[in-house]
Amino acid sequence: MPFPHLTRAWGRRRVLGLALGAGLAPALGAGSAAARPRHAGPDHTLGLRVAALAASQIGVPYAWGGGDRLGASLGFCDEENGYLDGQCLGETTVGYDCSGLSLYCWYRASAGAVELAHYTVAQFNRSAPVETAALLPGDLLFFSRPDAPLHHVGIWAGDGAMIHAERTGTLVARLEGVLGIPRWSREFAGARRPLPFG
């Protein structure tokens, strides 16, 4: 364990994320955000602001664990993440990971009305499902693999594109035609739209 103090911090974050994810899922029952129908007006305007904020972050570095309500932040490394070619970049990089970017964009665009956890599974559980044909800018796209369920989240930018923070060593980028790219289409687990608690 090259960075035990960071591993302990990650352990606390993972436990908190799991607790939030598990705690939020039951709360999204029959009159919840997940069960509410999609509305076009205010959601669309809010989503456009989310997508615009995401676009304004293009070029910011990826940092594992980076990003919060205020924007890009210092990341960290754990046993598996934050490294590039054996070097821990996480603890020296100010930037976003995938859920940090979506957390920041939704919080800022909604003036604090939508506060997502810094954990992909909790963000999925905190959002209403959206059919692919009904995607609006700002909606969240989630990706999964058998070895890494819900491992990635990106922000739908419209016109077939997603803005995301992919992995250590990359920058926040716009990916054109995301759902037509075999790697991403195979891993696509669904789209969701965060809504304020109410």
Side-chain angles (χ1 to χ4, degrees), residues 49-176:
R49 291 197 304 269
V50 170
L53 271 169
S56 75
Q57 301 306 300
I58 290 174
V60 173
Y62 180 98
W64 173 257
D68 59 26
R69 295 180 300 178
L70 301 177
S73 66
L74 192 63
F76 59 89
C77 296
D78 67 12
E79 295 94 347
E80 302 171 10
N81 301 291
Y83 297 91
L84 183 65
D85 299 327
Q87 277 193 307
C88 174
L89 297 185
E91 67 178 10
T92 59
T93 304
V94 173
Y96 296 99
D97 65 10
C98 63
S99 59
L101 179 65
S102 52
L103 177 165
Y104 167 72
C105 292
W106 270 94
Y107 184 82
R108 288 295 301 273
S110 70
V114 177
E115 187 165 5
L116 299 171
H118 196 159
Y119 182 56
T120 304
V121 173
Q123 291 187 2
F124 183 89
N125 288 334
R126 169 72 176 79
S127 305
V130 178
E131 294 296 326
T132 307
L135 280 168
L136 294 174
D139 288 340
L140 300 180
L141 305 181
F142 290 87
F143 300 88
S144 181
R145 296 189 308 262
D147 65 318
L150 292 177
H151 68 87
H152 189 64
V153 59
I155 298 168
W156 181 252
D159 299 322
M162 171 177 78
I163 298 171
H164 69 145
E166 185 177 357
R167 66 180 182 280
T168 302
T170 66
L171 306 175
V172 173
R174 180 181 168 106
L175 183 59
E176 302 294 338

Side-chain angles (χ1 to χ4, degrees), residues 4-15:
H5 65 290
L6 295 173
T7 301
R8 283 192 303 274
W10 169 240
R12 286 190 301 272
R13 180 178 155 215
R14 175 168 274 188
V15 168

